[in-house]
Amino acid sequence: MLRLKNLGSGSAGNATLIEGSDGLRTRRLLVDCGLGVRQLAARLDQAGLAWGDVAAIFITHEHSDHIGCARSIALKHRIPIWMSHGTHAALGSPDFDGMLHIAHDLEPIDLGCWQASPFTVPHDAREPLQLRCTDGAVHLGILTDLGHASEHVKTQLAGCHTLLVEANHDPVMLAASRYPLFLQRRIAGPYGHMANTATAELLAALKHPSLGHVVAAHLSAHNNTPALAQEALASALDWPPERIGVARQTEGTPWISVGMAG
């Protein structure tokens, strides 16, 4: 069994739990540590978990809303932490006291009863990675913080049963926002963040009969709304808008079982 629970998603901090179990073992991976130490502990507690229940941490890239308190957590609780060489270098190559593992494009991370396979994405970071996870029966795709869906991205997410995918902004809202022009261009550019319309195009390409659940993530607090994201993504899949989940900044999502329809 494979399931996920987002703990918070947005520019104020990101973290997602992925849990796999084979009936004998249960292993959990925390993807990103962008929330504060106390907030992460509180949201783990709300899920009935503590740091001792987390087998490993995976950092997608070095931006503060993703790296956050990762080093202090890894060191304090002796949790192995994975990131790309580029991400580690962008952080100044800090010492992780033996806890650091370097992740590479398409080299699976073995978590015992399931695997997480990193893949590169186009984003304005040193060497950003996202994840495809599987227990051998079902597949989960995690995709945020990218400016466009490259062919590599599409290949890695093909056939996934559940997707947590960035729907950062509505293009009309961004263009009418108070953001300076240089920032608008960065967000909307090929190494920025995915608009609702771009994510909808990606979902149309990834649509298949066994896709059971899609969660919109990393929504802009100023340039998007859950309703706009749901409407855009649902239209690409011929689903009702309420079937699209939303990972919210303040409470994330409930547990979502991979492969089960929303």
Side-chain angles (χ1 to χ4, degrees), residues 58 82-86 101-109 116-120 127-131 152:
F58 181 87
W82 292 80
M83 65 183 70
S84 70
H85 175 75
H101 299 265
I102 298 299
H104 300 279
D105 182 48
L106 304 184
E107 289 190 11
I109 298 168
S117 295
F119 59 91
T120 55
E127 189 185 352
L129 297 169
Q130 296 293 320
L131 290 174
H152 185 57

Side-chain angles (χ1 to χ4, degrees), residues 53-132:
D53 299 308
V54 177
I57 296 168
F58 181 87
I59 299 300
T60 59
H61 62 295
E62 69 271 16
H63 292 166
S64 61
D65 58 325
H66 294 266
I67 185 68
C69 58
R71 183 171 181 269
S72 62
I73 293 297
L75 292 176
K76 180 178 180 180
H77 299 282
R78 308 305 295 171
I79 302 174
I81 185 165
W82 292 80
M83 65 183 70
S84 70
H85 175 75
T87 296
H88 187 232
L91 294 171
S93 302
D95 180 25
F96 279 87
D97 194 28
M99 292 294 100
L100 178 66
H101 299 265
I102 298 299
H104 300 279
D105 182 48
L106 304 184
E107 289 190 11
I109 298 168
D110 187 3
L111 289 151
C113 48
W114 61 282
Q115 288 186 335
S117 295
F119 59 91
T120 55
V121 299
H123 188 50
D124 56 0
R126 184 76 171 267
E127 189 185 352
L129 297 169
Q130 296 293 320
L131 290 174
R132 180 188 180 109

Side-chain angles (χ1 to χ4, degrees), residues 103-239:
H104 300 279
D105 182 48
L106 304 184
E107 289 190 11
I109 298 168
D110 187 3
L111 289 151
C113 48
W114 61 282
Q115 288 186 335
S117 295
F119 59 91
T120 55
V121 299
H123 188 50
D124 56 0
R126 184 76 171 267
E127 189 185 352
L129 297 169
Q130 296 293 320
L131 290 174
R132 180 188 180 109
C133 306
T134 184
D135 62 358
V138 295
H139 296 263
L140 162 68
I142 303 291
L143 183 72
T144 67
D145 295 77
L146 73 166
H148 68 280
S150 64
E151 290 304 313
H152 185 57
V153 166
K154 294 175 184 177
T155 298
Q156 300 318 307
L157 295 182
C160 282
H161 300 88
T162 296
L163 293 168
L164 184 145
V165 60
E166 176 170 76
N168 177 257
H169 61 277
D170 172 77
V172 175
M173 288 184 69
L174 178 62
S177 73
R178 296 183 178 181
Y179 283 21
L181 186 57
F182 80 89
L183 183 55
Q184 291 187 29
R185 287 175 173 169
R186 174 199 167 257
I187 292 169
Y191 295 93
H193 292 276
M194 291 269 280
N196 294 342
T197 48
T199 305
E201 290 178 7
L202 172 61
L203 289 176
L206 296 176
K207 180 181 178 181
H208 64 96
S210 296
L211 177 61
H213 207 113
V214 171
V215 179
H218 216 291
L219 273 67
S220 169
H222 304 289
N223 301 310
N224 208 356
T225 69
L228 284 172
Q230 288 174 303
E231 182 179 357
L233 274 54
S235 66
L237 298 168
D238 296 319
W239 290 1

Side-chain angles (χ1 to χ4, degrees), residues 5-9 43 46 246-254:
K5 177 178 176 58
N6 180 266
L7 302 181
S9 182
R43 297 193 192 188
Q46 290 169 4
V246 177
R248 300 176 186 269
Q249 185 70 81
T250 52
E251 67 266 16
T253 67

Side-chain angles (χ1 to χ4, degrees), residues 21-26:
S21 176
D22 62 3
L24 298 175
R25 299 167 295 175
T26 299

